[in-house]
Amino acid sequence: MKVLWLCNIMLPAAAAQMGLEASNKEGWLSGLAGLVLGNGGRNGVELAAAFPALEQMLDGEELAVRTVEILGGKLTCYGFREDTRRAEVYDKGLEQRLGKVLEDYEPDIVHCFGTEYPHTLAICRAFPRKDRILIGIQGLCGVYAHAYFADLPKRVVRSVTLRDILRRDSMVRQQKKYVRRGEAEKEAVSLAGHVTGRTRWDRLYTNRWNPDAVYHSMNETLRAEFYQDTWSRAACVPHSIFLSQGDYPIKGLHYMLKALPAIREKHPDVKVWVAGNSLVRYDTLKEKLKISGYGKYLRRLIEEMNLEETVTFLGRLNVEQMKAQYLKSSLFVCCSSIENSPNSLGEAMLLGMPCVSADVGGIPSIFTSGEDGIMYPGFRASREGEEKLEAVSAGLAQAVLEMWDNEDRAEEYGRCARRHGMKTHDREQNYRRLLEIYEEMAQQA
């Protein structure tokens, strides 16, 4: 059985083998690929992967093919040209480029990991056997668009900086880009014969868009490093909070900042560590010119509430650095306005961390409030008025304080979260489920 994976990035293991820069994103793909490739002699699966390629791989061409030996097996890699920085623009040339991949590899099944980029729609249009297309749902851009502004005040949403004007990338424009990406995403789902998901939330929307598609429940396998080691209260910094990212409104960093004064009132030593790009740098002229409207708002909140010594931006972290930061922190917080099943929360659960999360999107399908940790009421599109931000932030502050009020209970939450996470993200079980789905699809006439 020949299976073609369509991925948003080059598999990190393949990038390393080719001497190319590897992305820190979607590292869990390598873990799943290792299981498929390492068992290639027994599972009957021949695997190839197609992805938007770096220029070093393309060398001026539209399509590049490489075969590498990684993770215990042989992988054919198809790198194609795509401007992922303009994911809202559909490039019809992708259909031709991916058509060449299909013609060369002749897959029995096409498995698309995510719907966020135009290449998923392109291959769904190019591959004639719609009943052999499997789309794995990650996030849903069209739905995320409705939660993009995340209770920000209207004056902030409308604000623009020089950077926003020059890049044509204000918050309003960013939200519109999500709307456009959602249109392509919706068509891709409507063309696919099969969908994999893992939450009630993603099943609701994909069934609405394509009631004829077969929905297969399948959980995700996370990065291998997070199945090892366990969080310990003795080893962490007291009253420290870790956020995996905060570089656009959906991730809800502003909720956390607004919650901090109430938290600091009881715990003056509170620290918040934020991984990923820092939007608030303002030391040099270049940084001042590059600051976005959202970054300027975050910076103003930090200054107005004297949070300079409380909030630290860590920059991009590799997998080992991320894991170390989880284990160093006393609490993981997911304060997003919308998520399906965030891998960051899954990683924290695998490590047995105390976790607090907004009750949004598909999170209740992977995280049980009162057992795995604490959930608080998050973004709700039906509410109106600037007081929404204050209400959500107050709920977040209350959840954090409740977690720290009873450290023994927090530790029990962490133990429950680890047991739940190990079940949800069981590598062998998820691998076997994937093979079952491939077998079901291959048996179709």
Side-chain angles (χ1 to χ4, degrees), residues 401-429:
L401 292 172
E402 182 182 340
M403 187 68 80
W404 284 343
D405 280 345
N406 191 326
E407 291 183 331
D408 290 338
R409 182 181 295 171
E411 287 187 279
E412 180 57 29
Y413 281 144
R415 287 189 288 269
C416 288
R418 180 172 170 80
R419 287 194 295 270
H420 191 172
M422 285 293 186
K423 183 177 179 181
T424 301
H425 305 294
D426 184 296
R427 288 175 288 185
E428 287 296 328
Q429 182 175 313

Side-chain angles (χ1 to χ4, degrees), residues 13-31:
Q17 184 69 18
M18 287 187 255
L20 301 175
E21 181 182 350
S23 171
N24 288 330
K25 297 180 179 179
E26 302 184 20
W28 53 270
L29 273 173
S30 289

Side-chain angles (χ1 to χ4, degrees), residues 73 108 136 140 147 195 264 282 364 370 377:
D108 299 302
L140 291 174
V195 170
R264 193 167 56 178
Y282 209 66

Side-chain angles (χ1 to χ4, degrees), residues 130-371:
K130 310 306 180 189
D131 60 325
R132 296 288 182 89
I133 297 175
L134 175 67
I135 290 183
I137 303 300
Q138 295 177 175
L140 291 174
C141 293
V143 186
Y144 281 18
H146 299 296
Y148 192 85
F149 298 135
D151 294 324
L152 289 169
K154 290 182 179 179
R155 67 181 184 279
V156 175
V157 170
R158 291 193 294 263
S159 68
V160 293
T161 62
L162 178 61
R163 173 259 182 209
D164 296 338
I165 294 170
L166 293 176
R167 292 192 180 186
R168 298 182 178 181
D169 193 40
S170 66
M171 276 183 275
V172 171
R173 284 181 177 268
Q174 289 167 14
Q175 191 267 350
K176 289 180 178 177
K177 290 175 184 178
Y178 266 70
V179 172
R180 291 181 65 182
R181 292 169 75 175
E183 292 168 356
E185 168 183 77
K186 193 172 181 179
E187 183 182 342
V189 171
S190 73
L191 291 173
H194 297 261
V195 170
T196 66
R198 56 203 179 276
T199 67
R200 290 186 295 272
W201 181 83
D202 66 37
R203 184 167 194 160
L204 170 71
Y205 283 101
T206 55
N207 183 256
R208 184 180 298 173
W209 297 342
N210 186 357
D212 295 326
V214 179
Y215 183 95
H216 304 271
S217 294
M218 188 183 77
N219 292 314
E220 284 195 319
T221 297
L222 302 183
R223 295 184 284 187
E225 291 81 358
F226 289 91
Y227 292 84
Q228 305 162 7
D229 300 319
T230 306
W231 178 89
S232 166
R233 185 170 72 187
C236 74
V237 176
H239 305 137
S240 57
I241 296 170
F242 182 45
L243 275 63
S244 63
Q245 57 181 303
D247 54 359
Y248 59 115
I250 283 174
K251 295 303 175 181
L253 177 55
H254 52 287
Y255 292 124
M256 186 76 256
L257 297 181
K258 296 286 283 185
L260 278 173
I263 297 170
R264 193 167 56 178
E265 200 171 300
K266 188 166 184 180
H267 301 288
D269 60 338
V270 61
K271 296 289 182 185
V272 175
W273 291 311
V274 187
N277 296 327
S278 171
L279 297 187
V280 303
R281 289 184 183 144
Y282 209 66
D283 296 327
T284 66
L285 176 60
K286 184 177 180 180
E287 288 171 348
K288 291 175 181 178
L289 293 175
K290 289 178 65 177
I291 199 165
S292 66
Y294 183 55
K296 193 171 183 179
Y297 173 64
L298 294 177
R299 182 174 179 81
R300 186 165 72 245
L301 288 180
I302 290 171
E303 291 175 345
E304 289 176 351
M305 295 186 288
N306 300 313
L307 299 174
E308 291 89 346
E309 302 301 317
T310 302
V311 181
T312 302
F313 292 86
L314 302 172
R316 294 183 180 181
L317 304 179
N318 62 33
V319 62
E320 291 295 346
Q321 292 169 326
M322 281 288 288
K323 181 179 172 182
Q325 198 63 48
Y326 278 108
L327 296 174
K328 180 181 178 181
S329 307
S330 69
L331 181 64
F332 175 79
V333 171
C334 176
C335 47
S336 301
S337 62
I338 191 69
E339 294 279 0
N340 186 13
S341 64
N343 287 348
S344 57
L345 178 58
E347 289 171 348
M349 293 172 69
L350 283 178
L351 293 173
M353 281 191 74
C355 298
V356 163
S357 176
D359 181 359
V360 295
I363 290 177
S365 292
I366 67 161
F367 182 76
T368 306
S369 187
E371 294 181 16

